[in-house]
């Protein structure tokens, strides 16, 4: 397949959550149900159709939120993988959307549940599996607990073809101090998916400049206001990525109600980043 080299843009199914509709809240918590729910409406498309829709719009990488998988049966997993291959779309990352490796009581249960997703990610052909690093406050005890369990999880992924990554997300990782501490303890066994929108401005800009040199992939989330995309914020985030030397793909994250059609927001962000990268190349060759 030629898919391994295609482009610097991906789309997360989170960017299409209104289009896709139903979610399935898979969880390590036995009190939570994975039965279909429609918090964003009934939807108008099926996940299986997304790879072709992406390819038609010039994007050839996909990230799938675990809660968008309508089935974990082997037959459906194979069907989705075939749909990706037919559209020449790379499965960049399976986003596992629950669990807390930093929790003092349930961390072990949660990472064992996360381990079960490694085989699913491998069967889907995913390059990576993003897990939540932790939701607890960033005490030394909680960070150490998360590092221990994430190291264990990375060991379980060895030989699967799936790389475990974490994100600068939730209470455990509020700044580059904690993010770098955790990555240092994991010694390269776990990668970084840097998210441009998870930390608040203005502190996030220097924070992104600090961590994005370690990132393998990037959630290029844009902020929107009453007049649309916050261009100053988005450009500054991209400048911080450039300053850090980030050269990986950008996953287009659109989660605003500004555009009723989610594709409009996704493609606007793609065009914005393309313009930025073109300007950056021009500066380097001037």
């Amino acid at each position: 397949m030629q898919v391994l080299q295609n482009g610097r843009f991906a789309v997360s199914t989170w960017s299409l959550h209104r289009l896709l509709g139903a979610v399935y809240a898979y969880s390590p918590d036995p009190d939570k149900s994975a039965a279909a729910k429609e918090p964003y409406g009934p939807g108008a498309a099926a996940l299986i159709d997304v790879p072709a829709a992406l390819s038609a719009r010039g994007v050839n990488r996909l990230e799938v939120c675990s809660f968008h998988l309508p089935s974990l049966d082997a037959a459906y997993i194979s069907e989705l993988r075939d749909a990706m291959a037919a559209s020449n779309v790379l499965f960049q990352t399976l986003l596992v959307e629950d669990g807390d490796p930093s929790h003092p009581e349930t961390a072990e249960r949660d990472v064992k549940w996360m381990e079960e997703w490694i085989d699913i990610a491998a069967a889907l052909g995913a390059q990576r599996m993003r897990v939540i690093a932790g939701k607890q406050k960033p005490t030394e005890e909680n960070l150490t607990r998360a590092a221990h369990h994430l190291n264990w999880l990375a060991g379980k992924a060895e030989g699967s073809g799936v790389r475990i990554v974490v994100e600068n997300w939730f209470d455990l990782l509020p700044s580059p101090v904690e993010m770098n501490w955790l990555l240092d303890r994991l010694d390269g066994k776990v990668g970084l998916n840097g998210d441009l929108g998870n930390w608040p401005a203005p502190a996030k800009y220097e924070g992104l400049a600090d961590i994005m040199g370690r990132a393998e992939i990037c959630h290029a989330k844009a902020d929107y206001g009453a007049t649309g995309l916050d261009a100053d914020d988005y450009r500054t985030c991209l400048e911080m990525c450039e300053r850090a030397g980030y050269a990986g793909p950008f996953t287009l994250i659109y989660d605003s109600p500004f555009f009723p059609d989610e594709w409009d927001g996704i493609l606007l962000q793609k065009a914005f980043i393309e313009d930025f990268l073109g300007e950056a190349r021009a500066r380097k060759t001037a």
Side-chain angles (χ1 to χ4, degrees):
M1 291 177 66
Q2 309 105 353
V3 73
L4 296 178
Q5 299 300 325
N6 43 327
R8 290 196 68 179
F9 292 101
V11 167
S12 165
T13 57
W14 175 248
S15 300
L16 297 166
H17 61 267
R18 296 196 303 270
L19 180 69
L20 292 172
V23 295
Y24 307 81
Y26 305 109
S27 175
D29 185 343
D31 294 330
K32 291 184 180 178
S33 168
K37 298 181 180 65
E38 296 181 349
Y40 314 112
L47 177 61
I48 204 80
D49 299 321
V50 170
L54 270 186
S55 184
R57 291 166 173 84
V59 179
N60 297 98
R61 291 169 174 263
L62 179 63
E63 296 197 343
V64 176
C65 301
S66 56
F67 53 65
H68 278 140
L69 289 167
S71 172
L72 303 182
D73 290 345
Y76 178 80
I77 296 297
S78 178
E79 185 181 0
L80 181 56
R81 183 168 182 162
D82 288 348
M84 303 276 285
S87 296
N88 198 34
V89 169
L90 174 71
F91 203 131
Q92 180 171 285
T93 317
L94 176 63
L95 306 166
V96 177
E97 303 286 12
D98 206 343
D100 183 357
S102 68
H103 197 285
E105 296 170 4
T106 59
E108 187 169 343
R109 177 200 72 182
D110 289 7
V111 292
K112 286 181 178 177
W113 174 82
M114 289 173 173
E115 181 195 4
E116 296 171 8
W117 285 91
I118 296 170
D119 286 344
I120 298 170
L124 285 164
Q127 285 187 331
R128 296 175 179 84
M129 185 175 98
R130 193 272 279 134
V131 299
I132 295 167
K135 299 178 181 180
Q136 305 307 302
K137 296 298 181 184
T139 64
E140 184 176 356
E141 182 181 11
N142 290 336
L143 283 160
T144 300
R145 183 182 301 109
H148 169 76
H149 288 301
L150 290 167
N151 185 63
W152 176 87
L153 187 66
K156 293 296 181 180
E158 285 181 10
S160 68
V162 178
R163 179 159 167 80
I164 304 297
V165 298
V166 293
E167 187 174 333
N168 53 314
W169 194 22
F170 287 116
D171 283 357
L172 189 73
L173 303 172
S175 82
V177 173
E178 295 82 10
M179 187 75 256
N180 285 317
W181 186 96
L182 182 65
L183 292 174
D184 289 345
R185 295 310 179 281
L186 293 168
D187 197 26
K189 296 178 183 177
V190 172
L192 172 61
N193 169 48
D195 191 295
L196 305 186
N198 285 345
W199 288 343
K204 73 171 179 178
Y205 303 127
E206 288 301 322
L208 291 170
D210 193 325
I211 69 167
M212 287 305 296
R214 307 182 75 163
E216 302 172 9
I217 50 178
C218 170
H219 278 176
K221 187 185 298 175
D223 285 339
Y224 286 77
T227 58
L229 186 149
D230 185 339
D232 289 342
D233 173 79
Y234 211 30
R235 184 175 295 105
T236 304
C237 288
L238 295 171
E239 287 170 350
M240 296 304 102
C241 292
E242 183 184 24
R243 192 168 111 189
Y246 178 73
F250 291 99
T251 303
L252 303 163
I253 304 290
Y254 172 73
D255 63 1
S256 167
F258 186 82
F259 292 107
D261 185 336
E262 289 162 309
W263 286 115
D264 289 341
I266 291 167
L267 295 177
L268 174 66
Q269 291 174 206
K270 179 174 182 285
F272 190 102
I273 297 174
E274 286 174 330
D275 288 347
F276 175 86
L277 294 175
E279 292 166 5
R281 283 192 295 270
R283 286 195 301 271
K284 289 175 182 175
T285 56

